[in-house]
Amino acid sequence: MPPRKRATASGQGELPGISSTKEIQDILWKAADKLRGSMDAAQYKEFVLGLVFLKYVSDAFAEQRAKLAADPEIAEIPAHRRDAFLEDPEEYIGNHVFWVSPTARWDYISANAASANDGVGALLDDAMDSLMKDNKSLLGVLPKIFNKDNVDQERLKQLVDLISDARFTGHGDRPAQDVLGEVYEYFLEKFARAEGKRAGEFYTPASVVRLIVEVLEPYEGRVYDPACGSGGMFVQSGKFVARRRGVDHSHDIAVYGQEANERTWRLAKMNLAIHGMDPQGVGNRWADTFADDKLPDLKADFVMANPPFNMSDWERKEKDPRWAYGAPPQSNANYAWLQHIISKLGDRGAAGVVLSNGSMSSKQSGEGEIRQAIVDADLVACMVALPGNLFRTTAIPACLWFLTKDKTSQGAKGLSDRRSETLFIDARSMGTMLDRTERVLTEADLEKISDTYHAWRGTKSAREKGLTYENVPGYCYTAKIDEIAKHDYVLTPGRYVGAAEVEEDPDAEPVDARIVRLTKELFACLDDSARLDAAVREELGRIDD
C-alpha cells in the first residue's frame, strides 16, 4: 500500500486534554495495564497493539469522512445522496485511507460494548474480520483473539473505554499516521522491556537499527531482512529516505522479509501498514528462513538483520547451496545466517548484520575456515565492536558485520576503491547508560561511526561533508587481507585499532624529574610509616605493662 498522506480536517486544532504523543502513550499504557496478568505476555502484546491499530484506522476514517462532509461541493448534494456518497469505500481507499465498515468503527464498538450479548470481544473480532475483508493489504494480519474464554470481558470493556480517550487525529498539522507510528514504536519498546529476554525475537534496540541504516544509506532499491521481527529495519529505512529525500521518496525502497514466529509476523504486518509500507513485503505466511526460504530468487540491494544469536536449534541441510563458504555447524547458526545473507545480495549489494562477538573469532566446528573463506572472497567491508548493555534482552556482547559484493569505485558513484581492505571500528566506549542495565548510542555516536565508514568508502554524503578518512589509534583502522591473515583471520577490531594515543601536556613535568620527585615522596612516606609503627608499638607495650 502506498504511503498515506493524511490531511487534518479543516479548522480542527489541537485536541483538548491530548496535546502530545506522550499523553496518548500514557493513556494507552495505562489501558494496557488493565490486561496485565490475565494472559501470557506474547498474547498481551498482540492484544493491545491490535486494539491500538483498530482505534487508529477508525480515527483516520472519521477524519476523512469529516473532511468530505465539509467540502462545499458535497454540501450541495441532496441529503439522501450525500449519505450514500460519504459511505462510498472508494472515497476512502482512493485517498489512501482504510475503509472501515459501520460496525467496525470505534464509536460503534464503544457505544455497544456494555450491551453486546456476546460481550465486547465478539464486536472486536467481527471488526477485525471486517477490516481484513474490506482492505486487501490487511488480509490475515489483524488478531481475532478477543472473544475467547481466557479473556476477561469486563476488563476488556474497561480497556475499550480507556482507549476511547486517545485520539490519533486533531493534532495540528501532524498526520494520524505519524502519531500512531510513534505510539506503536513506543509500545514495542515498552513490551520489549517488560518481556526481557523473550523480547529478542521481535525487537532490536532502536539505536542499533539506526546505526545499520545510517551506515548502509538505503536510498532506493530492495531491502531484505531474513529475520524481520516486528519490522524495525524496514521502518527505519523508510524514515531514513523520508528524512534525506522527503516523504514523497519513501516509496523508493521495496521491503522484503521473513519471520518464523506467527505473532511476531503479524506485528510486522501491522507495523508496515501503519508506516505506509506494503504489508505484503513480509509474505502471506510466517515461515522458518532456513527450512522454507520464501524468497529463493531474491537479490537485494540491502540486507539488514539481527538474527537470533548462537542459535543451535535450527533446520540444517548439509548440501544447501547457500553454504558456498563451508557448511555451518548444527551447534551454531551464526555462519548460516551470514551465508544466507550473502546469497541474497545483488552484484553491488551491501549488508549490515548484528551477531554475537564470538562470530569474530570462533574456530569451533569449522567456523574459522568459513570466516577465512568469506574474508578471502573480499566480502567483509567493516567490522564494528559495539558497547555492552545495548541489548536488554541478552547480556551477550554484540558486533556488526558490514558485507559488500563490490568494493570498487563503482563507476559514476566515484567511491574509494577498497578492494582487499576491511575497516575496523572499536565503538565499545561509546553510548550512554539509560539506567543500571541499558545503554543507548547517542546521535553523536551514530554520526561518528557512520561518518567514519562513509569517509573510508568515499560516499557522496562524505564528500558533501568534506570528510576524509585516516586511521585513529584506539578507534579505527583499515587492514589489508594479508594483515588479517597474519591475525589468523580473527576480526575483532581491538586487535587492529591499537591503543588510543595520549596527548602530551606541554606544561607537564618531565618524566625523569617526576620519577625523582615521586621516589623522594615515597621514601618520605615510608619513613613516616616507620615512625608511626614504632609509636604504636610503644603505646601497646605500655598497655601490657
Side-chain angles (χ1 to χ4, degrees):
M1 195 168 187
R4 298 175 187 82
K5 300 175 186 177
R6 306 207 186 269
T8 305
S10 179
Q12 189 176 20
E14 299 289 331
L15 289 171
I18 303 179
S19 59
S20 68
T21 304
K22 176 67 168 62
E23 290 184 26
I24 294 178
Q25 291 168 347
D26 290 343
I27 287 171
L28 294 176
W29 190 248
K30 180 181 177 182
D33 278 338
K34 286 286 182 184
L35 288 168
R36 193 184 299 276
S38 65
M39 59 183 64
D40 70 80
Q43 185 183 24
Y44 166 67
K45 172 176 72 264
E46 189 180 21
F47 208 102
V48 174
L49 289 172
L51 288 180
V52 168
F53 184 79
L54 179 61
K55 181 63 166 63
Y56 155 73
V57 296
S58 292
D59 283 359
F61 175 88
E63 179 183 54
Q64 177 65 13
R65 197 177 197 280
K67 182 181 177 183
L68 290 171
D71 189 315
E73 293 184 8
I74 295 173
E76 294 178 2
I77 299 174
H80 68 284
R81 289 180 53 203
R82 189 185 314 127
D83 290 342
F85 178 84
L86 294 175
E87 290 297 317
D88 181 359
E90 290 303 318
E91 292 299 324
Y92 299 87
I93 296 171
N95 284 285
H96 310 301
V97 176
F98 290 115
W99 164 254
V100 186
S101 64
T103 57
R105 296 169 194 170
W106 194 268
D107 289 346
Y108 176 86
I109 294 168
S110 180
N112 291 277
S115 59
N117 292 332
D118 297 325
V120 66
L123 293 177
L124 291 167
D125 276 354
D126 288 346
M128 296 293 183
D129 194 45
S130 175
L131 270 174
M132 289 189 284
K133 288 178 180 177
D134 292 333
N135 301 274
K136 291 182 180 180
S137 64
L138 297 179
L139 194 62
V141 174
L142 304 180
K144 293 174 59 180
I145 55 176
F146 303 95
N147 192 30
K148 293 188 175 182
D149 292 340
N150 67 331
V151 178
D152 185 327
Q153 294 295 311
E154 182 54 38
R155 282 193 184 189
L156 184 55
K157 167 63 172 62
Q158 295 173 16
L159 179 58
V160 168
D161 289 342
L162 276 170
I163 291 178
S164 295
D165 292 335
R167 286 279 304 277
F168 292 102
T169 56
H171 294 268
D173 294 329
R174 298 201 64 205
Q177 182 190 33
D178 290 353
V179 177
L180 175 67
E182 289 183 20
V183 170
Y184 197 88
E185 290 166 33
Y186 165 82
F187 264 66
L188 287 174
E189 183 174 358
K190 290 283 279 187
F191 280 122
R193 292 171 185 271
E195 288 190 38
K197 187 174 182 179
R198 288 187 59 191
E201 70 184 27
F202 73 87
Y203 186 77
T204 305
S207 64
V208 176
V209 178
R210 278 280 311 280
L211 177 56
I212 293 173
V213 172
E214 293 292 334
V215 168
L216 291 182
E217 295 187 311
Y219 284 110
E220 58 187 17
R222 297 176 296 274
V223 177
Y224 172 63
D225 185 344
C228 69
S230 54
M233 299 287 185
F234 303 140
V235 169
Q236 287 299 332
S237 295
K239 287 185 174 182
F240 170 84
V241 177
R243 199 165 52 243
R244 297 289 184 90
R245 289 187 170 175
V247 174
D248 290 342
H249 287 275
S250 57
H251 61 278
D252 289 354
I253 60 170
V255 301
Y256 302 88
Q258 191 161 332
E259 172 54 44
N261 181 283
E262 177 186 358
R263 284 176 172 162
T264 305
W265 171 80
R266 292 184 191 279
L267 292 181
K269 298 275 275 189
M270 278 194 285
N271 204 6
L272 290 177
I274 285 166
H275 287 89
M277 307 175 89
D278 187 358
Q280 292 305 310
V282 294
N284 296 318
R285 190 173 176 80
W286 59 98
D288 183 292
T289 302
F290 294 129
D292 183 14
D293 182 4
K294 293 292 187 183
L295 297 161
D297 300 321
L298 175 70
K299 291 299 180 182
D301 299 290
F302 303 97
V303 181
M304 307 177 192
N306 174 26
F309 290 177
N310 306 326
M311 188 170 68
S312 59
D313 182 19
W314 63 286
E315 292 286 339
R316 181 178 182 273
K317 300 173 184 176
E318 183 72 30
K319 301 298 183 180
D320 196 307
R322 289 174 287 188
W323 314 151
Y325 304 95
Q330 180 67 67
S331 59
N332 195 317
N334 286 344
Y335 280 90
W337 286 114
L338 282 173
Q339 293 190 82
H340 171 79
I341 287 166
I342 291 170
S343 75
K344 294 297 183 184
L345 288 176
D347 291 340
R348 286 184 170 176
V353 190
V354 188
L355 285 176
S356 67
N357 276 1
S359 65
M360 298 188 289
S361 58
S362 172
K363 297 180 181 178
Q364 296 178 353
S365 305
E367 289 182 325
E369 287 82 358
I370 298 173
R371 184 171 57 254
Q372 176 178 339
I374 291 173
V375 172
D376 284 340
D378 206 13
L379 293 168
V380 183
C382 177
M383 298 297 301
V384 180
L386 295 172
N389 301 110
L390 287 177
F391 294 79
R392 179 176 286 268
T393 58
T394 179
I396 299 173
C399 63
L400 294 179
W401 290 65
F402 287 100
L403 307 169
T404 184
K405 280 286 191 74
D406 187 355
K407 292 183 183 178
T408 69
S409 61
Q410 296 187 17
K413 287 188 177 180
L415 303 177
S416 300
D417 191 325
R418 290 294 184 179
R419 281 176 286 186
S420 299
E421 295 182 9
T422 295
L423 173 64
F424 292 91
I425 297 176
D426 191 342
R428 288 176 297 173
S429 63
M430 292 187 179
T432 184
M433 297 298 292
L434 287 181
D435 52 37
R436 292 186 303 106
T437 61
E438 186 174 4
R439 182 187 299 269
V440 296
L441 294 170
T442 66
E443 289 293 326
D445 296 330
L446 298 177
E447 184 175 18
K448 180 178 180 179
I449 296 170
S450 59
D451 278 355
T452 300
Y453 177 80
H454 295 149
W456 178 81
R457 196 66 181 97
T459 63
K460 180 181 178 182
S461 58
R463 295 194 297 270
E464 288 174 346
K465 288 185 175 182
L467 301 175
T468 56
Y469 176 79
E470 61 180 25
N471 293 331
V472 178
Y475 171 61
C476 64
Y477 180 82
T478 182
K480 295 279 190 179
I481 289 178
D482 57 0
E483 184 176 354
I484 296 172
K486 292 176 182 177
H487 285 276
D488 204 15
Y489 291 92
V490 170
L491 298 178
T492 307
R495 286 206 174 197
Y496 301 90
V497 302
E501 290 182 346
V502 178
E503 292 187 11
E504 292 189 10
D505 182 355
D507 298 324
E509 182 180 13
V511 174
D512 291 345
R514 186 160 67 250
I515 291 174
V516 172
R517 176 178 59 78
L518 291 175
T519 300
K520 290 181 178 179
E521 290 178 1
L522 174 61
F523 282 131
C525 288
L526 290 174
D527 290 342
D528 288 341
S529 177
R531 282 193 294 272
L532 288 171
D533 181 61
V536 169
R537 289 177 182 276
E538 183 178 348
E539 292 299 321
L540 289 175
R542 290 176 180 175
I543 294 173
D544 291 339
D545 294 341

